């Protein structure tokens, strides 16, 4: 007679608060970076047009409206 094993139900995934805060920080940092690369015209970075000019080719490469 085959042995029958009880199947344990899968426990729901748990996320530690530290992991949640780390993931949130990474997402916020990436969103800020995406904003600075794609949309900043110097108002947020306070760099004049330096950042815009630095990322200019990347903006065109990504298809972000530039000028
Ligand atoms: Zn351009």
């Amino acid at each position: 007679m085959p042995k029958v094993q009880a199947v344990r139900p899968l426990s729901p995934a748990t996320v530690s608060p530290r992991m949640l805060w780390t993931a949130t920080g990474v997402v916020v940092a990436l969103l800020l970076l995406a904003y600075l690369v794609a949309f900043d015209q110097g108002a947020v970075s306070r760099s004049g047009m330096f950042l815009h000019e630095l990322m200019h080719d990347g903006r065109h490469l990504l298809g972000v409206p530039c000028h």
Side-chain angles (χ1 to χ4, degrees):
M1 179 172 185
K3 187 175 181 180
V4 177
Q5 290 183 336
V7 177
R8 293 187 330 185
L10 295 175
S11 62
T14 57
V15 177
S16 68
R18 182 178 178 189
M19 181 180 286
L20 186 62
W21 281 110
T22 302
T24 302
V26 168
V27 167
V28 169
L30 290 177
L31 285 174
L32 180 63
L33 179 66
Y35 173 80
L36 290 175
V37 169
F39 301 108
D40 184 60
Q41 300 287 341
V44 172
S45 65
R46 310 298 272 171
S47 65
M49 293 300 281
F50 174 76
L51 201 57
H52 177 90
E53 296 298 331
L54 188 65
M55 303 296 176
H56 194 232
D57 290 344
R59 288 180 185 210
H60 284 273
L61 182 69
L62 295 173
V64 175
C66 182
H67 51 85

